[in-house]
Amino acid sequence: MSTETKKKLVLHTSDNETFEIEEAVVLQSQAIKHMVEDECADNAIPLPNVTSKTLSKVIEYCKKHAEDSGEEALKAWDADFIKFDTDTLYDVIMAANYLNIKSLLDLTCQRVADMCKGKTPEEIRRTFNIKNDFSPEEEEAVRRENQWAFE
Amino acid sequence: MAGYLPEEIIEKVLLRLPVKTLIRFTTVCKSWLSKIKASTFVQSHLCTTIDSNNQNDAHLLLLSARSYSKERNCYEHHWLHWDSPEFGEYSKLSNPLSFFTPKNKPQELRVTGTCNGLVCLESYYDNSCKERSPALMLWNPSIRKIVKLPRIPGWGHPNDYKVYRMYAPLGFGYDPHSNDYKVLRIVILRSDRFSFRYSSVVQVYSLARGSWRRLSASVAPLDLQASGIKRPAFINGCLHMLKYREDDMYCSTHDWFIAYFNLATEVFGEIMIPEALQKRRCSISRYGDSLALIKDYDTRDPDNRGCEIWVMKEYGVAESWTYLCGEVVLKEEKDGGQSRMVLFDPKSGNQAKVIGSEDHVYCFMDSFVESLVLLDHANAISTK
């Protein structure tokens, strides 16, 4: 048993909570890694864009990926992990983007993509809050050119 | 709500969507239409798809076949299958000829090659002209678009040079340096039956340029002058074909080598084949991303029913030719004049099963990836 104390980093969320996490886990975030390398991380690292609820999900991911569980097991764990509600999903995407954790960003974007696959263009507009700026004739013309894609 | 997801994240999500979904989403709004049709997006989407397929070990194969009706009408069929031992069908592709009127319909349609989701098609019309010059087109079945190539230009040759026999193999591939798709045509003209006097003309079509170009005579090596270049294999930016040196026209044994054409530099080169395959009949192919040679087995010899696969593990390094065994491959077998597709395990030497229908004549198979290529092309027309 190693008696060496692993270095911990303190993260401070937008809703004023602090998390004390092992450095090795947190360094999967390229953003935090740069802060540590630039020696800006002596005290708590402030994360004004991330809530404690979101950060705990991110930490859960990073902890699992810091372990050596094998590729197959990790893929299965990821598939199970990603099953949260859409609001949490979007919060985790934003956090993964802000903290620059590539594998988590890829995983969450893939999840959003999988959810989009079956949607109609109108459902997509509602999901992403997009205004339809086609005139009815314009939209019909684009649709007619690729009618097969709508069947 | 996802309404506040920034552009860069939406782009990352779009890159992970399948082609058909993206085509549907071009009607979401004008900015999505222009984003999805942009050349940079088309490129990135292709790379993302290739990476994802590699990560999930989920690859596709394009399979083409012809069938004949009782009235001897010829029909073409194209399918996508999973590149797995089960060889399950992924989809049947729509007919690329749907935009031809019955009067215009070609007699025969052949696949030159496929690359990055594009399929190069050769259509032959019944004409009495000795020069069978096909009409060519590039087809992306995943977005149902076609670009017709301009007519292949003729070339001048002296009037007293009678063309006894002409071979004009075609090759199709991608030039990563200029993000361009090219078609190579090597025209080999043989002047008469008795003298082995040849002349060759090399023509290259570039999609980016939109035209054919004839390469200077000095580019084509003399050793290309011989018959029977089969479909060139596209690997590592180059088209590869098996050739033999014809120094002595009465020589019964030939010195085989691989001639390649680099699509970026438009220059020919040579690769040595392993000593063990020198005196054998081989076919050139691709194994993963590497150049491969398959030693044809002799169907008449029951003791010699094997196929050897040699893979060039390090491209261009002659010493890296490696003999593989224990792989299940798909192979065409001629049984009493008919062709069939069989799953063959070189290790056990037994054929595992016959694939597909015996009514079909299978004529092409290669790896395939679904892509948006040609969506950004101004002259692409829609098939149904």
Side-chain angles (χ1 to χ4, degrees):
Chain A
M1 180 95 108
S2 165
T3 52
E4 175 195 316
T5 47
K6 295 209 174 119
K7 179 158 185 228
K8 292 206 160 120
L9 289 177
V10 178
L11 305 172
H12 194 102
T13 65
S14 62
D15 50 345
N16 267 321
E17 290 215 21
T18 52
F19 287 71
E20 208 178 303
I21 315 290
E22 273 177 32
E23 194 180 61
V25 169
V26 174
L27 287 186
Q28 287 176 69
S29 153
Q30 290 297 309
I32 293 181
K33 185 160 180 270
H34 291 146
M35 278 191 234
V36 168
E37 284 167 355
D38 294 346
E39 287 170 33
C40 316
D42 283 342
N43 305 317
I45 297 173
L47 302 175
N49 297 343
V50 189
T51 64
S52 55
K53 178 176 175 230
T54 310
L55 188 62
S56 47
K57 282 274 170 235
V58 173
I59 301 290
E60 190 187 336
Y61 176 88
C62 291
K63 273 188 174 158
K64 185 69 185 175
H65 279 250
E67 293 167 21
D68 183 23
S69 344
E71 208 184 301
E72 286 301 313
L74 211 51
K75 266 193 185 169
W77 186 90
D78 280 352
D80 218 45
F81 170 73
I82 205 71
K83 289 177 182 161
F84 15 79
D85 62 84
T86 47
D87 283 343
T88 312
L89 180 59
Y90 300 134
D91 288 339
V92 173
I93 287 186
M94 298 297 282
N97 190 37
Y98 174 70
L99 294 169
N100 198 349
I101 306 171
K102 187 178 184 301
S103 60
L104 180 57
L105 187 56
D106 287 348
L107 181 67
T108 46
C109 284
Q110 184 64 55
R111 175 88 178 133
V112 176
D114 291 341
M115 284 160 52
C116 284
K117 275 181 203 168
K119 291 192 152 81
T120 65
E122 182 49 43
E123 285 167 336
I124 290 292
R125 287 185 204 117
R126 267 184 272 131
T127 307
F128 292 101
N129 203 22
I130 296 174
K131 185 175 180 317
N132 182 2
D133 54 354
F134 283 120
S135 73
E137 295 79 29
E138 285 169 335
E139 186 181 340
E140 180 55 33
V142 179
R143 194 190 162 104
R144 214 173 331 119
E145 186 172 334
N146 297 302
Q147 190 57 44
W148 56 270
F150 293 87
E151 281 147 22
Chain B
M1 286 312 292
Y4 57 79
L5 279 184
E7 280 298 305
E8 58 192 67
I9 305 263
I10 294 192
E11 170 123 356
K12 283 195 204 297
V13 171
L14 289 178
L15 283 174
R16 287 160 186 279
L17 288 171
V19 170
K20 188 171 172 181
T21 308
L22 282 171
I23 298 294
R24 246 195 354 262
F25 291 176
T26 55
T27 59
V28 167
C29 65
K30 287 184 183 174
S31 93
W32 278 36
L33 174 62
S34 61
K35 194 200 296 277
I36 292 167
K37 284 179 99 153
S39 297
T40 47
F41 183 82
V42 169
Q43 265 281 80
S44 304
H45 181 266
L46 174 65
C47 294
T48 310
T49 307
I50 291 173
D51 283 343
S52 164
N53 290 348
N54 287 337
Q55 262 194 344
N56 301 329
D57 195 20
H59 297 103
L60 292 173
L61 293 168
L62 170 67
L63 179 65
S64 302
R66 283 193 286 275
S67 66
Y68 296 91
S69 69
K70 283 200 205 74
E71 302 83 32
R72 309 267 307 164
N73 290 327
C74 180
Y75 297 96
E76 268 84 24
H77 309 271
H78 308 274
W79 301 267
L80 293 179
H81 279 256
W82 289 108
D83 188 358
S84 69
E86 296 74 39
F87 199 62
E89 186 177 308
Y90 174 81
S91 67
K92 180 149 207 274
L93 298 180
S94 65
N95 180 3
L97 299 185
S98 61
F99 63 86
F100 282 104
T101 61
K103 217 173 51 159
N104 263 343
K105 193 173 177 303
Q107 199 112 49
E108 197 183 321
L109 198 69
R110 279 197 216 152
V111 178
T112 313
T114 175
C115 185
N116 291 350
L118 285 190
V119 181
C120 181
L121 296 169
E122 308 161 33
S123 57
Y124 292 88
Y125 292 85
D126 179 36
N127 56 15
S128 50
C129 178
K130 238 195 235 173
E131 295 176 20
R132 278 191 9 135
S133 200
L136 295 170
M137 61 199 92
L138 295 181
W139 174 43
N140 183 336
S142 313
I143 60 172
R144 306 202 189 186
K145 295 240 184 279
I146 273 189
V147 167
K148 290 190 191 175
L149 268 58
R151 254 174 60 93
I152 300 173
W155 60 89
H157 54 76
N159 286 333
D160 60 357
Y161 195 98
K162 272 197 339 258
V163 178
Y164 170 70
R165 201 48 82 75
M166 187 187 104
Y167 308 96
L170 288 162
F172 173 64
Y174 174 69
D175 167 13
H177 289 270
S178 44
N179 187 25
D180 193 9
Y181 294 89
K182 294 185 176 173
V183 178
L184 170 71
R185 185 171 190 249
I186 302 172
V187 187
I188 299 160
L189 304 150
R190 191 166 141 188
S191 70
D192 68 64
R193 197 190 318 179
F194 300 109
S195 99
F196 279 64
R197 197 177 136 215
Y198 292 95
S199 175
S200 65
V201 171
V202 180
Q203 295 168 304
V204 179
Y205 168 82
S206 136
L207 180 66
R209 217 175 40 226
S211 64
W212 287 93
R213 194 167 84 87
R214 178 176 167 173
L215 301 188
S216 79
S218 55
V219 172
L222 283 171
D223 287 327
L224 272 187
Q225 298 166 2
S227 64
I229 298 177
K230 292 191 224 167
R231 183 185 293 121
F234 178 68
I235 293 130
N236 207 29
C238 303
L239 286 163
H240 301 78
M241 25 209 149
L242 269 173
K243 294 299 304 135
Y244 57 83
R245 291 183 215 290
E246 198 155 327
D247 300 322
D248 179 352
M249 64 169 149
Y250 296 114
C251 182
S252 57
T253 59
H254 297 297
D255 191 13
W256 287 89
F257 64 97
I258 294 171
Y260 68 81
F261 181 76
N262 184 317
L263 288 181
T265 60
E266 296 190 351
V267 161
F268 283 91
E270 285 183 15
I271 292 179
M272 281 172 48
I273 73 171
E275 195 58 47
L277 294 175
Q278 259 304 334
K279 301 290 178 259
R280 314 293 205 175
R281 263 181 50 212
C282 299
S283 320
I284 205 163
S285 185
R286 190 190 319 120
Y287 184 80
D289 291 324
S290 305
L291 185 58
L293 285 170
I294 301 177
K295 187 199 91 178
D296 293 345
Y297 64 90
D298 189 350
T299 52
R300 294 161 298 179
D301 177 1
D303 293 328
N304 193 20
R305 300 194 93 228
C307 88
E308 287 176 19
I309 307 170
W310 289 73
V311 175
M312 180 170 246
K313 294 227 150 138
E314 265 180 77
Y315 184 78
V317 177
E319 291 76 26
S320 75
W321 281 108
T322 310
Y323 171 67
L324 277 185
C325 56
E327 297 289 324
V328 178
V329 298
L330 218 44
K331 207 160 147 55
E332 191 182 9
E333 179 181 322
K334 296 229 181 336
D335 195 30
Q338 288 287 83
S339 295
R340 295 181 311 169
M341 293 267 285
V342 297
L343 221 53
F344 181 80
D345 182 359
K347 199 157 57 176
S348 67
N350 299 323
Q351 78 187 43
K353 59 175 182 169
V354 176
I355 307 280
S357 159
E358 306 224 343
D359 294 333
H360 290 114
V361 176
Y362 293 96
C363 45
F364 180 84
M365 189 181 76
D366 201 351
S367 339
F368 186 82
V369 63
E370 291 180 301
S371 78
L372 295 166
V373 179
L374 289 191
L375 191 62
D376 51 344
H377 197 275
N379 295 336
I381 57 184
S382 299
T383 71
K384 284 292 173 309

